[in-house]
Amino acid sequence: WSSSLDDLEGSLKTHPPTSSMRSAHGAYALRSFLLLLLLGCSGAFLAPLHGRATQAPESSRCLLRAMGRKSGRGRHFSLLSTRMEGDESSSSSSRKEVMNSREALTEQIAKRATTVSSTEEKAGEVGLSQFEQGAGTETLGRQEVAEEVSMGVWGQAMDKGTSMALKEMSGLKLSFPALVVDRALSSLDEMLSFGSGGERQDKAGVKKKLVVVGSGWGCHAFMKNLDATQYDATIISPRNYFLFTPMLAGAATGTVELRSITESIRDANKDFNYLEATVTEILPDKKKVSCQTVVCQGAQCSINDFDVDYDMLVIGVGASVNTFGIPGVKEHCYFLKQISDADLLRKAIGNTFERANLPDMTEEERIRTLTFVIVGAGPTGVELTAELKDFIEEECPKYYPHLLPYIRIKVLEASDRVLMQFEQGMQQRALQDLCRAPSLPSLQPDYVQVLLKSSVKEVKESTIYLNDGTSIPYGIAVWAAGIGPLPVTLDLIKKLSEYQTDPQARGRLLVDRWLRVFGAPGVFALGDCAFMRDYALPATAQVASQQGSYLGQRMSEGCDFQQAIPSRKPESARSFVGSLRFTEHAPPFQFLNLGILAYTSQGKALAQLELDKNKIQIAGALGWLGWRSVYFAKQVSTRNQAMVAFDWLKTAIFGRDLTRF
Ligand code: FAD
Ligand code: MG
């Protein structure tokens, strides 16, 4: 297939522009058709991999039980408000007096929940590239291990937990093939274990209260894998949906629609109670979380505070955008982290073309308006560049042929490489794909430029200033340069500072190999907001979702997490396969790295598969086929698969929709 597609591409180049445009669309449609055929066949057996959401009838628990419990709101509010530089509404006056629109108040809460000071931002920098994968250091001797285990006391053993466990459980550290088999069996176990595994009750016979904070990759996978009928389970997140982040770039340029890449949290697991609110503070000593949400009566809205108690807490709040404290970024750049960011960016792209099309514009002004600057050449920056390039080369000749000569894309990268996580050859390939001269003669041959070793000093309304003294006038700037911690995470780390001591964690919660937060019994953290001691993992969806599945399965088995090494009982095995795999001690989390993917425009992508120590590198059209297949298979529901497949087909046949609302 790859060679026939390459032939097709080769023949396209020899055609004149108009017909090449048409056949480019044809090639795209052909590829999409072939892909859909393939996916249609594989869909039947991929479907069970979605994970099982227990479908027991809605339990009779009181829905807004938690809303009634109000207390201590002054405290956490003042704590958060200290972070709000220059926001007057954070003054001591009661928030009950603030009557405003729902949107304005929701935005106010969101701003508080994501704004960190620039020093905190720097201290907590979690750039993806900084992380090397690797097993931990095994520091403790066997004797010490035995002592620690015999103590078996939560808390006391925690500090040495991970290294101790690594030693004790080294026999359980699975080799790559064993890990693959283990994951397959685990999925099978999950499929077979329908029905309740019994209730997890406290001493008084009441179901344990399990609270989950966040609805992203980690928490969503957790929900899908947890038999929530065993717990009194509540999920709290300002976002009532899961978001498939890897396709945000496609959503921002109209390749897929926004709703195709989200799944309702209420669909994900019907045995969870969902509260639409933002957690503002976690109080591990009182075993409760403080929340804020907007409540409206008629036209009048106010911010409502309430607390929710927990016996067990799972934190998966993710990360925020890191601007490294560079002036002007927050004010003038677009981001690509939430679905609303993709929506804004899509509208802005449409708007910038319409603006550039207006009469009375000088040449210079038109070039500025059509200059797209993307800061950061990691996977997000590269994929956005690729999608934008497709948009320009596939849609603009139809609608804005006279604007083509003015379009520029500039990718700024502070380091000397793109796609840090890929092997060097693949990085070169990415550069070639992005900067390849377009087949349309009216576009500048070098309209896409990747500027390495270019770090941003300041962003002003229409110009970006670089540290090397140069400046770039721009129309749209997108910041895709790194992630950092959220205030709620930093606050909890501060509260647990005695235990949260690893300097490498940089703004993430230090957890052991069973995802238990050091210093906070009953609290677990996963995904981008967690850092596993002695087992540094990249901040990716792959890691977060594997951690979520792992924890969901362990909790469904009723693991006793109070033991230094969590243990389980033979009767907790939930299926025949589960009983075959049973070990008394729950194995620690182990990441199965399946490889990385990146789209590089015009039906080409990089796929770097990792099979143990071997890396298989695939680029070009075959890589693209792999990329689309994986993204299709990884959709979290059949509904999403159907919608994404339909969007791809729609784009291939009719192009992208340019209307703006
Ligand atoms: P998230 O998925 O970010 O979820 C956090 C959740 O917590 C959200 O629901 C949020 O609303 C909620 N929340 C936040 N604050 C609060 C609060 N105070 N109270 C309550 N709830 C809160 N990774 C890959 O592996 N492959 C890719 O191709 C890839 N592409 C990406 C492309 C883009 C554009 C982006 C932005 C990221 C990409 N990633 C990719 C990274 C991946 O999205 C993250 O690593 C992953 O989302 C982390 O999962 P998480 O559960 O920790 O956090
Ligand atoms: Mg999550």
Side-chain angles (χ1 to χ4, degrees):
W1 278 14
S2 91
S3 63
S4 68
L5 289 174
D6 280 341
D7 288 350
L8 240 175
E9 265 152 36
S11 72
L12 289 181
K13 293 210 180 73
T14 57
H15 284 255
T18 42
S19 77
S20 100
M21 257 156 51
R22 238 176 286 124
S23 39
H25 255 114
Y28 187 65
L30 176 68
R31 267 197 225 112
S32 298
F33 175 73
L34 290 176
L35 179 66
L36 283 175
L37 207 67
L38 178 83
L39 295 178
C41 302
S42 58
F45 76 86
L46 282 172
L49 294 179
H50 292 156
R52 174 184 58 86
T54 43
Q55 303 274 333
E58 192 66 41
S59 71
S60 58
R61 81 178 86 84
C62 170
L63 273 186
L64 288 182
R65 165 179 39 83
M67 299 288 267
R69 291 189 208 124
K70 298 179 100 195
S71 67
R73 58 195 171 93
R75 198 177 140 207
H76 68 255
F77 186 72
S78 60
L79 187 144
L80 278 164
S81 59
T82 53
R83 301 183 187 285
M84 299 167 50
E85 296 149 315
D87 187 341
E88 319 91 71
S89 60
S90 69
S91 68
S92 57
S93 71
S94 159
R95 268 139 305 115
K96 282 281 170 203
E97 289 163 22
V98 185
M99 294 296 182
N100 218 324
S101 76
R102 176 185 284 275
E103 287 71 28
L105 291 179
T106 308
E107 201 175 302
Q108 205 177 339
I109 296 177
K111 199 169 161 199
R112 266 180 225 143
T114 51
T115 308
V116 290
S117 69
S118 38
T119 33
E120 285 170 332
E121 212 170 33
K122 268 204 141 34
E125 173 205 334
V126 209
L128 280 180
S129 54
Q130 316 267 339
F131 294 93
E132 296 281 14
Q133 276 160 235
T137 47
E138 299 173 20
T139 47
L140 291 183
R142 236 195 138 66
Q143 182 58 34
E144 283 173 275
V145 172
E147 277 167 26
E148 295 282 355
V149 173
S150 68
M151 285 199 299
V153 189
W154 178 287
Q156 268 175 296
M158 282 296 284
D159 195 37
K160 292 173 183 168
T162 299
S163 26
M164 176 186 78
L166 278 175
K167 199 76 184 172
E168 180 73 357
M169 313 217 68
S170 54
L172 274 176
K173 191 176 173 222
L174 301 175
S175 63
F176 182 81
L179 189 55
V180 173
V181 172
D182 182 70
R183 283 297 155 87
L185 286 177
S186 161
S187 303
L188 193 61
D189 183 21
E190 202 42 39
M191 269 188 280
L192 294 174
S193 60
F194 268 97
S196 173
E199 294 185 354
R200 307 296 162 201
Q201 301 174 340
D202 65 11
K203 287 192 191 100
V206 180
K207 272 191 195 181
K208 280 195 174 170
K209 283 194 218 99
L210 170 67
V211 172
V212 177
V213 185
S215 55
W217 276 99
C219 296
H220 185 266
F222 175 80
M223 285 175 80
K224 286 248 174 180
N225 280 273
L226 182 77
D227 177 3
T229 56
Q230 299 179 27
Y231 294 89
D232 177 359
T234 303
I235 181 162
I236 307 173
S237 173
R239 222 169 74 178
N240 74 350
Y241 54 86
F242 160 81
L243 169 63
F244 193 88
T245 47
M247 277 164 72
L248 270 175
T253 50
T255 308
V256 293
E257 295 303 327
L258 301 176
R259 280 180 189 271
S260 307
I261 59 167
T262 59
E263 189 198 35
S264 155
I265 274 305
R266 292 187 185 276
D267 257 349
N269 191 334
K270 297 189 175 64
D271 294 319
F272 264 87
N273 176 23
Y274 167 68
L275 300 176
E276 188 175 281
T278 300
V279 170
T280 52
E281 190 181 6
I282 294 162
L283 303 151
D285 48 341
K286 296 190 180 129
K287 289 208 163 234
K288 65 181 178 186
V289 294
S290 300
C291 312
Q292 286 191 340
T293 192
V294 179
V295 174
C296 296
Q297 280 183 323
Q300 298 229 297
C301 296
S302 63
I303 292 176
N304 191 331
D305 303 75
F306 61 91
D307 292 347
V308 180
D309 300 327
Y310 67 80
D311 296 313
M312 296 169 104
L313 178 71
V314 177
I315 307 171
V317 291
S320 70
V321 172
N322 198 340
T323 65
F324 308 103
I326 295 169
V329 175
K330 280 190 183 125
E331 293 77 11
H332 304 300
C333 289
Y334 287 88
F335 298 101
L336 198 60
K337 188 93 180 81
Q338 300 295 344
I339 198 82
S340 51
D341 297 331
D343 189 26
L344 277 178
L345 186 55
R346 187 169 171 182
K347 286 176 179 151
I349 293 170
N351 181 43
T352 209
F353 277 98
E354 296 305 343
R355 246 188 321 142
N357 187 45
L358 295 176
D360 309 332
M361 226 186 212
T362 61
E363 293 258 307
E364 199 186 331
E365 187 59 5
R366 202 158 267 151
I367 290 176
R368 185 192 68 72
T369 309
L370 291 176
T371 297
F372 300 87
V373 175
I374 292 160
V375 187
T380 303
V382 165
E383 291 204 337
L384 179 64
T385 310
E387 294 279 359
L388 191 60
K389 203 171 152 212
D390 283 357
F391 175 88
I392 290 165
E393 295 182 20
E394 286 162 16
E395 313 308 332
C396 294
K398 284 184 283 184
Y399 305 114
Y400 309 105
H402 52 289
L403 293 180
L404 290 176
Y406 305 101
I407 302 174
R408 310 277 185 275
I409 301 179
K410 295 193 193 290
V411 184
L412 307 179
E413 167 58 45
S415 76
D416 59 356
R417 283 180 293 166
V418 302
L419 295 175
M420 205 74 87
Q421 302 85 337
F422 283 83
E423 298 287 300
Q424 222 166 9
M426 300 288 263
Q427 296 173 351
Q428 282 309 317
R429 189 67 197 248
L431 278 175
Q432 277 170 19
D433 287 351
L434 291 179
C435 301
R436 175 170 295 134
S439 51
L440 300 160
S442 29
L443 273 167
Q444 300 285 323
D446 63 344
Y447 83 102
V448 181
Q449 290 179 346
V450 180
L451 308 173
L452 300 174
K453 294 190 198 158
S454 300
S455 55
V456 175
K457 189 169 144 212
E458 189 177 358
V459 182
K460 292 220 164 126
E461 202 187 338
S462 55
T463 312
I464 289 187
Y465 296 90
L466 304 184
N467 274 323
D468 62 9
T470 55
S471 62
I472 304 171
Y474 72 93
I476 289 183
V478 185
W479 190 261
I483 55 174
L486 288 163
V488 67
T489 314
L490 284 175
D491 177 56
L492 182 59
I493 291 171
K494 211 161 151 192
K495 284 197 174 81
L496 305 173
S497 55
E498 212 181 307
Y499 307 90
Q500 296 283 325
T501 47
D502 196 327
Q504 279 189 61
R506 282 174 303 164
R508 289 164 299 166
L509 288 158
L510 192 62
V511 298
D512 73 359
R513 289 288 294 270
W514 289 270
L515 300 162
R516 297 175 294 187
V517 174
F518 284 91
V523 181
F524 301 79
L526 39 78
D528 285 0
C529 69
F531 177 78
M532 207 171 259
R533 171 173 288 181
D534 297 337
Y535 193 53
L537 294 168
T540 63
Q542 214 183 129
V543 170
S545 70
Q546 284 186 29
Q547 289 179 334
S549 309
Y550 168 84
L551 192 61
Q553 288 163 8
R554 298 295 83 77
M555 283 199 187
S556 295
E557 293 164 353
C559 267
D560 182 358
F561 287 100
Q562 294 189 26
Q563 301 296 322
I565 294 180
S567 63
R568 46 194 180 178
K569 298 197 176 75
E571 58 269 27
S572 69
R574 297 193 303 144
S575 80
F576 167 67
V577 177
S579 61
L580 286 183
R581 300 170 67 235
F582 178 80
T583 51
E584 189 197 339
H585 292 305
F589 173 76
Q590 207 176 328
F591 176 53
L592 172 61
N593 188 358
L594 296 171
I596 38 182
L597 299 160
Y599 181 55
T600 52
S601 83
Q602 297 296 300
K604 295 191 181 65
L606 307 177
Q608 184 170 297
L609 310 179
E610 306 206 358
L611 301 177
D612 210 359
K613 304 265 176 318
N614 309 311
K615 290 189 174 142
I616 299 175
Q617 302 176 11
I618 306 169
L622 202 61
W624 177 85
L625 206 63
W627 175 76
R628 282 232 160 153
S629 309
V630 169
Y631 277 22
F632 178 83
K634 282 283 167 192
Q635 293 299 317
V636 295
S637 72
T638 314
R639 170 193 161 274
N640 290 103
Q641 285 184 325
M643 291 177 69
V644 162
F646 185 76
D647 286 347
W648 282 338
L649 195 65
K650 192 180 67 173
T651 302
I653 298 172
F654 304 108
R656 294 164 184 82
D657 183 352
L658 291 196
T659 48
R660 291 178 294 124
F661 308 97

